[in-house]
Structure formats: C-alpha cells, structure tokens
Amino acid sequence: MKKFLPYAIILTFLISFVFVDNASANAKSTPVIQSVAKDTAVYIEPSVESAVIGQIAKGSYVTATSVNGEWTRIKVKQLEGYVETAALVSVKSEKYVVKQKGGTTLFTYPSPSAQKAGQLYENSMIFVYGSAPGGWSFVQYGYQTGYVATNSLKKPVATKKRVNAAKGAELHLTASPSGEVLGTLANKTVVQQYTTVAGWAYVEAGEQKGYVKVSELANIQIAGNKVYNKGVPVAKGQKKRVALTFDDGPNAKVTPQILATLKKYDAKATFFMVGPNASKNSAVVKQVYEAGHEIGNHTWNHPKLTALSTTTVKQEVDRTNNAIYAAIGQYPTVFRPPYGATNDKVRSVMTMPSILWSIDTLDWKHRNADKILTYVKESVKDGSIILMHDIHQTTANGLENVILYLKKQGYEFVTVSEILQ
C-alpha cells in the first residue's frame, strides 16, 4: 500500500492543478452582451442531460460568459444557467448618453410597468446593444443591464483632452470613486472625452475606456499667442503627420462635401471660420464639431488686421468667437489672421495661437482641383500645415486625391493643435 502512496499524491496534485487551471481560465473570461438567435432552454449544468431551469425567447439579450465551444453561461434578469453556444449571436454596441433631465429609469423588460433595475443619471455614458418594439433600447452601464426609453438618449460628441495628473488618472468602470478600478492612464495621454457627470468624465484611449476625474484632464490646445507656420516633426519611427486646414467657411454646400471626404478616410482637419458664415450656417458648424474636427477663428469681416486698431481687432475676434460658441457651446481653440497679416499689436489682444501655413495650395486663385495636389506634392513634409478653402467647389473636388496621395506617402491627418505638440 505504501508503494502506491507517492503515485496517489502526484495524481491528487495533477487533478487539483487541472481544476485550479480551469477555475482560473473561467475567472479570466470576460462577460459580454449577446443576443438570443432562437428560443432556447436554460440548463442548470452545461449538458442537455441536466435539468432545464427556464426558457429564453428569441431576441432577448443576455450577459454571456464562454465555457467552451459548445456551452455558454448566461444571466438574464433572475435566470442564470447554461445554454448552447449556437443559440447566441454576438452584437455590437453603440455609445449614447442619457439626455433626459434628471436621468432615466432602467427596467428589466421593455415596459414602463416592468420591474425597475436601476436609475441612470443624466449625461451617463451607456452602451446600446439593440432595440425592442415600443421605443425601447437594451443598454449597459457598468455591470447593470436593462431597457430604457430610446427617446431619453442621444449620441455623444467627442472632444480630445489630455491627462493632466503627475501620477496618471485612475480609470473607473462607473462615475464614482467606489467604481471598479480598471487601470491608470499615464500623464499626458491623449483621450477622447464623450461626456461628464458629477465631476467625472467618460474617456477612451485606445482599448482603455472608463471614467476619470474631470479635474485630471486638460484641453488640448497651445497656450499663448505665438505664431506658427508648421508643426512639430514626429520622433523617428513614428508616422508622419500633416494638418489639413480650410479657411473662410463654413459653406452650406461645399463644407458638407469636404466633411464626407474626410470621414471616408478617417482624416481630421481644422476649419478657420469667418463670423457671418458661422452665424448663417450654424448647423454646419455643429456638423464640423461633432465630426471631431478642430474649429478656429478667422475674424468677422476678413480684414487685414495690421491696418486696424487693437480695439477693432478685438471686436473682429470676439464677434466670431461668440458666433462659434452660439453654434456649438465651445469657443474656437486657434486663430488664423486673414492674409497671414499679424504683428505684435495684433497678437497683444490674442489669447489663442495664430496659425499660418507651410503650404499654400492657391485653390482660391486657380480654382483647379488637380493643381491643389500639384502644390502639395511640391512641398509636403512631416509637420506641414496645408492651406485650403471650404468655399470653393473645386477644393471639394480635389480633396480626395490629396488625401489618397498623402496616405500613400505614409502621412496621417491631425488637427492643428495636435501637430503643434
């Protein structure tokens, strides 16, 4: 008997190792939201031989954790058990925020008479996985899931920010200091901020996403009133950058065409707007902003500022600032003096950097779509700031070829504030 003892000990160790390893693997599985593709039974164990503890209907949404290729552990309302993996389909989510004043109620079923599953605060970031008849959306906030009225939601607008905390910003699952900590965003990390609620901001930076304290973020913009005509070259090995800029708009016809081309190639740009056009086309200003582009000030009357008094210069700038703020609730972050005319007197009233250019495409002069690319090819290099105008149809016509050429040369398209840093 004694001679079998060492083998028994080894066997026990191996069995325990397998169980620990499986438990560890299951613990690492991340729950996801999935949709039920067909009416299916829920089993108490991952086997059709085990007891059936309930049914879930086609079109339902469940929180799912993969067990193996054939079985998935699911949770829906008070029901928790196993279903055959083939009965589930993956679903993608879309970002929304709660727009309803005072917040909105989360229900277990798509009905106002259903059991309440929680309360979502106004401006909370949620993920919508699908809809249900009667104007309902199935959503997730943190670990909470359920249905909310679709009309209580709206699409968020992203704003680029930078982490401004020496020790980094702690990332939380929910907008609360007690929310699960997901990690830390390093100081100076550039993030997309989608919403703020109760002193917390929902941000995304690559694969990292969650809530950080608003106080730990700063605007991405160059402080002061310096003049720039080119961007900062990137470090060796990084992707080259250019800043596409458009002056004198927005134009009700041309600017949306330019926005569509930029979106097609996931390119960001900066639009320097003149006051009357921003005021007249406020809906287009909003389109530019909501697409994630930067908005700059290009004065009200497009005068040569060096010929004006400081008081008049300030009026030109302030009036356009106010027109842009009226359209999007944000002031412009950069300024471009008409004709590039600036001096110490002009800069003395500026609180934004003045942005000139390193490539003038002369699109305003030749009105030839092909010539725009010719001028770009002649002079482009890492850090170039390219001047165009979103009031000419020929510029809209020639933009795609410019982007295709620059992409082929290995450039990415960033805003002015980004290329200056």
Side-chain angles (χ1 to χ4, degrees):
M1 182 70 182
K2 288 183 179 179
K3 66 179 180 180
F4 291 111
L5 187 58
Y7 298 104
I9 292 171
I10 293 171
L11 183 60
T12 302
F13 172 78
L14 289 173
I15 292 171
S16 64
F17 178 79
V18 170
F19 278 120
V20 169
D21 190 55
N22 283 341
S24 178
N26 285 339
K28 291 179 182 177
S29 296
T30 304
V32 296
I33 303 299
Q34 291 191 300
S35 177
V36 180
K38 59 182 179 180
D39 294 351
T40 190
V42 181
Y43 297 87
I44 195 169
E45 296 291 343
S47 169
V48 291
E49 303 299 325
S50 67
V52 174
I53 56 175
Q55 296 280 335
I56 48 176
K58 178 182 177 180
S60 300
Y61 295 93
V62 299
T63 302
T65 306
S66 178
V67 176
N68 54 46
E70 296 181 359
W71 291 91
T72 298
R73 184 171 181 81
I74 62 99
K75 183 176 182 181
V76 54
K77 308 178 191 68
Q78 303 303 314
L79 186 60
E80 194 167 355
Y82 296 86
V83 300
E84 293 179 273
T85 302
L88 304 175
V89 291
S90 298
V91 287
K92 291 184 177 180
S93 65
E94 289 190 74
K95 288 186 282 284
Y96 280 82
V97 295
V98 177
K99 71 176 182 179
Q100 187 164 305
K101 193 172 180 61
T104 190
T105 303
L106 189 68
F107 294 95
T108 55
Y109 292 93
S111 167
S113 59
Q115 180 182 349
K116 294 181 180 179
Q119 187 72 20
L120 301 178
Y121 294 111
E122 182 181 356
N123 291 329
S124 294
M125 169 64 72
I126 62 172
F127 295 90
V128 175
Y129 287 88
S131 59
W136 293 89
S137 293
F138 182 81
V139 308
Q140 180 181 32
Y141 172 78
Y143 290 120
Q144 290 182 290
T145 59
Y147 293 88
V148 300
T150 302
N151 62 10
S152 67
L153 309 176
K154 69 176 181 180
K155 276 282 196 180
V157 174
T159 303
K160 283 196 175 180
K161 299 277 187 174
R162 188 184 298 279
V163 174
N164 186 32
K167 295 182 180 180
E170 205 169 59
L171 199 64
H172 291 249
L173 179 65
T174 55
S176 167
S178 59
E180 180 184 339
V181 177
L182 304 174
T184 301
L185 294 174
N187 190 31
K188 296 188 177 181
T189 299
V190 175
V191 301
Q192 292 277 14
Q193 175 186 298
Y194 287 91
T195 187
T196 60
V197 53
W200 292 83
Y202 177 84
V203 301
E204 294 186 355
E207 295 299 313
Q208 292 182 286
K209 56 188 70 175
Y211 289 87
V212 299
K213 293 178 182 177
V214 171
S215 59
E216 294 175 328
L217 299 177
N219 291 328
I220 294 182
Q221 62 183 81
I222 305 300
N225 59 0
K226 292 183 179 179
V227 179
Y228 299 86
N229 62 5
K230 60 182 179 180
V232 177
V234 297
K236 187 176 181 180
Q238 294 185 354
K239 197 167 186 179
K240 299 179 294 184
R241 306 177 303 171
V242 294
L244 303 175
T245 68
F246 299 91
D247 285 10
D248 295 351
N251 178 279
K253 178 185 176 184
V254 177
T255 305
Q257 294 177 47
I258 288 174
L259 289 175
T261 302
L262 293 170
K263 181 179 180 180
K264 181 178 179 180
Y265 295 101
D266 192 26
K268 296 306 178 192
T270 302
F271 291 77
F272 290 96
M273 301 181 177
V274 291
N277 284 346
S279 183
K280 180 174 63 176
N281 300 303
S282 59
V284 183
V285 180
K286 192 172 182 181
Q287 286 179 39
V288 173
Y289 177 69
E290 291 186 347
H293 304 294
E294 185 169 27
I295 293 179
N297 184 319
H298 199 40
T299 72
W300 186 268
N301 291 305
H302 203 276
K304 187 175 182 179
L305 296 180
T306 51
L308 304 179
S309 68
T310 53
T311 299
T312 307
V313 170
K314 192 173 188 309
Q315 290 173 347
E316 284 283 336
V317 175
D318 288 349
R319 197 174 177 189
T320 298
N321 278 347
N322 292 336
I324 292 170
Y325 185 88
I328 61 172
Q330 300 284 337
Y331 288 108
T333 51
V334 285
F335 175 76
R336 174 167 281 165
Y339 316 106
T342 187
N343 56 23
D344 290 341
K345 180 182 70 173
V346 171
R347 291 196 299 276
S348 70
V349 300
M350 292 295 160
T351 58
M352 298 174 282
S354 293
I355 311 302
L356 303 183
W357 51 87
S358 51
I359 299 176
D360 186 352
T361 63
L362 297 178
D363 59 335
W364 59 273
K365 185 177 182 180
H366 54 67
R367 307 290 179 90
N368 184 310
D370 295 330
K371 282 189 176 181
I372 298 173
L373 179 56
T374 300
Y375 282 98
V376 170
K377 283 182 175 181
E378 286 177 354
S379 306
V380 69
K381 60 183 178 180
D382 183 26
S384 290
I385 298 175
I386 301 172
L387 170 61
M388 291 175 282
H389 297 76
D390 58 323
I391 57 172
H392 304 307
Q393 183 62 49
T394 47
T395 300
N397 296 344
L399 179 60
E400 185 166 27
N401 283 339
V402 170
I403 291 177
L404 286 170
Y405 170 77
L406 291 172
K407 282 179 73 72
K408 190 174 181 180
Q409 299 304 310
Y411 288 94
E412 67 174 334
F413 306 92
V414 297
T415 64
V416 161
S417 286
E418 291 175 293
I419 208 166
L420 296 181
Q421 299 184 61

